[in-house]
Amino acid sequence: MKLPQISIVAPLYNESETFPMLVQRLNALMDTSPLAIEVVLVDDGSKDDTASRIRQLALTDDRYHGVLLSRNHGHQLALTAGISAARGTEALFVIDGDLQDPPELLPEFYKLLLEGNDVVYAVRKKRKEGFVKRMGYHWFYRILRSISYVDIPLDSGDFALISRRVVDVLNKMPEESRYLRGMRSWIGFNQTGFEYERDARAAGESKYSFKQLFGLAYNGIFNFSEFPIKFMSRTGAVAITISLIYFLVVVAKKLFFTQVIEGFTALLFVIILFSGVQLLALGIIGEYVLRIFFQSKQRPLFIVKEEIVNREYI
């Protein structure tokens, strides 16, 4: 059986506008590369004609491998489906279908792989996005790194070249709430960064809503940090300390100044303080319980509706 050396994996969701440009640039890369390359395009339940375009391309060009999911599972699970289907014997090259991650950088990444690195991840030195998003990404990565028990590189997304042995480990990790860049860092082996300037979207608008971005950020924090639990304990300790100080002040005024603080304000302060701490604690515990609940169901991470396998590598 002939197998490709490199698999390029790209999840797509409603990318009909960018699809022709993506295929054009991937074809140019494969036509000039000495490597045996397959491209795994994953349709994440698109509502436009992205799925039919993938199907037609995979049926007419043996270098393309189509994976069509039954519904929209989200970027991380669509990427997981592509990684599971990819057959590259040496490495997988993970990119986004909106062409913000230039596929032309594959030769540069491959050189670093040959130098003994199992993961070559891209480091974004400049983003062509709005100010709010840029600042949000900037501070999130720095906060996550400061509280994480895993060394997650700054300003590094899913864009990376990953060796086959790292891919095999990823495929054995059945986490439901996936944060792939964190999982990739947790696996270890030799990893190195490659700086690049991230392009703007080739066409259309970002499919990642702020709600989805917050969900991804939550997965990063709760899956790779002990900080939320420790923060809850420390907040409780601070609340108790404040209450004790307040109690001592009241006792001192009673014993030495024959005064007792009276009134609704003092009572309201104590109720709000402890109620807030309890609700915060329940919310943090709930995040962990929710992840345990979904994981305990042991449902498949994704459902493949159709797979068109490239015949060149059969």
Side-chain angles (χ1 to χ4, degrees):
M1 178 181 290
K2 181 184 177 183
L3 292 174
Q5 294 171 267
I6 305 292
S7 293
I8 300 176
V9 180
L12 306 175
Y13 178 65
N14 293 343
E15 293 291 355
S16 182
E17 290 182 78
T18 62
F19 194 85
M21 290 176 278
L22 174 65
V23 173
Q24 181 183 12
R25 290 172 64 173
L26 288 173
N27 285 344
L29 172 65
M30 290 188 286
D31 290 341
T32 58
S33 176
L35 299 168
I37 300 174
E38 73 163 350
V39 178
V40 182
L41 298 177
V42 183
D43 176 66
D44 188 21
S46 296
K47 297 178 182 178
D48 60 9
D49 65 345
T50 300
S52 61
R53 285 173 177 260
I54 292 174
R55 184 185 295 108
Q56 182 180 5
L57 179 63
L59 289 172
T60 56
D61 191 331
D62 290 339
R63 299 173 297 182
Y64 286 88
H65 181 164
V67 179
L68 312 182
L69 300 184
S70 62
R71 63 171 178 83
N72 179 246
H73 287 75
H75 178 267
Q76 296 291 288
L77 291 180
L79 194 51
T80 300
I83 292 173
S84 300
R87 296 167 296 171
T89 57
E90 292 188 34
L92 267 64
F93 192 44
V94 177
I95 66 172
D96 273 343
D98 56 13
L99 290 173
Q100 287 188 286
D101 304 331
E104 293 82 5
L105 291 178
L106 175 58
E108 301 295 327
F109 280 55
Y110 189 67
K111 288 178 184 177
L112 292 172
L113 188 81
L114 293 179
E115 291 176 6
N117 296 294
D118 284 276
V119 175
V120 183
Y121 55 85
V123 179
R124 300 156 181 167
K125 61 182 179 181
K126 189 176 181 181
R127 291 176 177 268
K128 294 181 175 67
E129 291 168 321
F131 176 78
V132 174
K133 268 194 173 183
R134 282 189 283 112
M135 292 305 297
Y137 283 126
H138 175 85
W139 286 111
F140 167 71
Y141 281 116
R142 280 145 187 82
I143 292 171
L144 179 61
R145 186 167 190 176
S146 67
I147 65 176
S148 176
Y149 57 78
V150 176
D151 184 16
I152 300 177
L154 292 176
D155 304 316
S156 172
D158 297 317
F159 183 28
L161 183 65
I162 310 170
S163 72
R164 183 75 242 180
R165 64 175 176 174
V166 172
V167 170
D168 290 340
V169 177
L170 272 176
N171 287 333
K172 293 177 183 177
M173 298 172 72
E175 297 180 23
E176 191 273 338
S177 54
R178 299 178 85 78
Y179 187 69
L180 286 167
R181 63 203 72 172
M183 296 165 65
R184 184 185 68 204
S185 298
W186 179 88
I187 290 172
F189 296 114
N190 294 332
Q191 304 198 13
T192 189
F194 180 89
E195 281 196 346
Y196 82 113
E197 187 172 322
R198 199 176 200 216
D199 296 330
R201 282 185 59 88
E205 297 180 353
S206 173
K207 307 307 185 296
Y208 246 124
S209 66
F210 277 103
K211 180 180 178 181
Q212 290 171 319
L213 287 173
F214 274 112
L216 185 64
Y218 268 44
N219 286 341
I221 292 171
F222 284 94
N223 289 4
F224 295 96
S225 173
E226 300 170 349
F227 176 79
I229 289 293
K230 291 182 177 179
F231 175 76
M232 184 175 65
S233 302
R234 291 166 185 168
T235 302
V238 169
I240 292 171
T241 302
I242 292 173
S243 301
L244 286 174
I245 292 173
Y246 185 76
F247 173 74
L248 291 175
V249 169
V250 172
V251 171
K253 287 196 172 187
K254 172 64 178 176
L255 294 177
F256 300 107
F257 302 100
T258 63
Q259 297 179 20
V260 177
I261 298 176
E262 298 178 353
F264 178 73
T265 304
L267 180 61
L268 184 64
F269 169 78
V270 174
I271 292 174
I272 292 175
L273 178 67
F274 279 97
S275 298
V277 171
Q278 289 171 355
L279 288 173
L280 178 64
L282 285 173
I284 292 174
I285 292 172
E287 287 291 338
Y288 286 102
V289 172
L290 188 65
R291 282 161 170 74
I292 295 170
F293 170 68
F294 282 122
Q295 193 70 40
S296 66
K297 292 181 179 181
Q298 296 185 339
R299 291 176 180 172
L301 297 179
F302 52 85
I303 299 174
V304 177
K305 178 173 67 175
E306 183 180 354
E307 186 170 0
I308 306 100
V309 181
N310 46 12
R311 294 172 296 281
E312 181 179 342
Y313 298 115
I314 295 179

